[in-house]
Amino acid sequence: MIQSRMIGDARVTRVLEYAAPTHDPAFLFPDLDPALLAAAADWMAPNHYIPSMNRLIVTIQLWVVHAGGNIVVVDTGVGNDKTRGMARMNKLNGLVLPWLEAAGAAPEKVTHVVHTHLHCDHTGWNTRLVDGRWEPTFPNARYLMPKREFDYYTDALTQAPDPIIDGSWADSVMPVVEAGLVDFIDNQIEVAGCLSVEPTPGHTHGHVAYRLRSGGEEALFCGDVMHSPIQIAHPEVNSGYCSLPDVARRTRRRVLEDAATNGTLIMPVHFGAPHCGHVRRQGDGFRFEPSDWPA
């Protein structure tokens, strides 16, 4: 499935890998008071939470930006044929590639692949299996990775395996590094003439967001600063995957404050339908306003 919209003169397309009611709230958000989720059920259901199952809907999606002569893929999902410890990610056989082609982003046409961070559900389509080898999916693109993120995991993985990286370092990250396709980026640079890089640490040590500005409008590809709209209503709630809990809370509140002030369209990776929206002020806090896709 693909959906597209314009941000100024840039076209943004959402490419779905999968979405399902997969996560027990107590697992994804171990510090979330169940009473807060119950109070939010009227607006979280049915797109973000299924009360009868007590499951949160989690989406895996890729974002594609057409701007000027560039075609940019933001984060690359789980990928096909990857051996993963989590059953919902193991050995997928999905249709992301034909949907990318339908979106005008056939692999050979993509000019840039950018990563908010390097967890296994954000790097998988960096490579695809060809004759038993992991080959770069986007052979003509520059793959941009946050340097702090890469350096952190390069060191950490020598100490112990990381279940959130899983096997992706070997099958999705290092093959593109070894192919000479990776540029390691620092914060506050411009990518592909259309995206500015902003540090958003907390979920991981080197997490970044990418801000798209065009024609007086802006959108923020914010990766895993938030996994669910419940974190907009309750920005103090971290996921169980946040490496730096206090930093993550501060970053999340800063991103929400900025989005509410500037009217930024936020485009996370894991929200349920319609998968993006605006942050509005509500009393001393915030609320999520979904943004439907044009027909």
Side-chain angles (χ1 to χ4, degrees):
M1 173 186 286
I2 57 174
Q3 294 168 305
S4 294
R5 69 195 309 145
M6 300 300 294
I7 304 294
D9 296 323
R11 185 168 89 251
V12 175
T13 303
R14 187 188 76 87
V15 178
L16 176 69
E17 188 163 36
Y18 67 78
T22 51
H23 285 62
D24 184 335
F27 172 79
L28 186 57
F29 299 123
D31 56 352
L32 174 62
D33 183 344
L36 295 179
L37 183 58
D42 61 337
W43 63 267
M44 285 278 289
N47 291 330
H48 308 286
Y49 177 54
I50 307 297
S52 62
M53 299 172 64
N54 192 34
R55 287 295 182 268
L56 294 162
I57 293 174
V58 174
T59 298
I60 305 289
Q61 58 201 344
L62 294 72
W63 298 104
V64 178
V65 180
H66 285 77
N70 292 308
I71 302 174
V72 184
V73 177
V74 183
D75 285 336
T76 61
V78 174
N80 278 1
D81 303 304
K82 306 291 169 87
T83 301
R84 297 291 180 258
M86 289 175 281
R88 64 181 176 275
M89 296 183 181
N90 189 47
K91 296 287 188 180
L92 297 187
N93 183 25
L95 298 172
V96 166
L97 290 184
W99 279 122
L100 281 171
E101 185 170 2
E108 67 276 6
K109 294 182 179 179
V110 172
T111 59
H112 299 78
V113 177
V114 303
H115 298 87
T116 60
H117 62 299
L118 298 179
H119 282 172
C120 67
D121 55 335
H122 294 255
T123 61
W125 278 106
N126 285 357
T127 60
R128 55 181 165 178
L129 194 61
V130 179
D131 296 328
R133 291 175 50 86
W134 295 111
E135 301 287 348
T137 302
F138 308 100
N140 300 314
R142 298 306 299 175
Y143 288 71
L144 278 65
M145 297 180 182
K147 185 177 188 302
R148 183 180 179 190
E149 182 87 348
F150 182 83
D151 289 349
Y152 172 81
Y153 281 114
T154 297
D155 179 63
L157 291 171
T158 66
Q159 312 300 317
D162 187 318
I164 311 176
I165 295 294
D166 209 340
S168 64
W169 203 256
D171 61 37
S172 301
V173 175
M174 291 310 298
V176 292
V177 173
E178 292 163 358
L181 298 180
V182 173
D183 295 322
F184 296 109
I185 59 172
D186 292 314
N187 300 324
Q188 309 293 351
I189 70 165
E190 187 175 88
V191 176
C194 62
L195 298 172
S196 59
V197 183
E198 300 180 7
T200 50
H203 178 63
T204 64
H205 288 69
H207 194 288
V208 300
Y210 295 88
R211 189 176 300 271
L212 170 65
R213 291 190 178 96
S214 179
E217 299 181 86
E218 66 177 55
L220 186 72
F221 301 100
C222 53
D224 285 3
V225 171
M226 294 159 283
H227 283 74
S228 167
I230 194 68
Q231 293 173 283
I232 295 175
H234 300 285
E236 72 281 3
V237 172
N238 278 335
S239 79
Y241 297 117
C242 288
S243 299
L244 302 168
D246 291 339
V247 176
R249 293 183 183 98
R250 290 195 296 271
T251 291
R252 190 175 305 111
R253 185 166 289 277
R254 172 172 56 81
V255 168
L256 293 173
E257 183 70 34
D258 175 85
T261 299
N262 296 313
T264 307
L265 183 71
I266 60 167
M267 294 185 157
V269 167
H270 299 302
F271 278 27
H275 311 286
C276 60
H278 292 91
V279 178
R280 306 302 187 195
R281 298 187 190 281
Q282 182 166 291
D284 295 331
F286 308 98
R287 63 178 176 84
F288 179 59
E289 182 180 286
S291 181
D292 289 330
W293 293 84

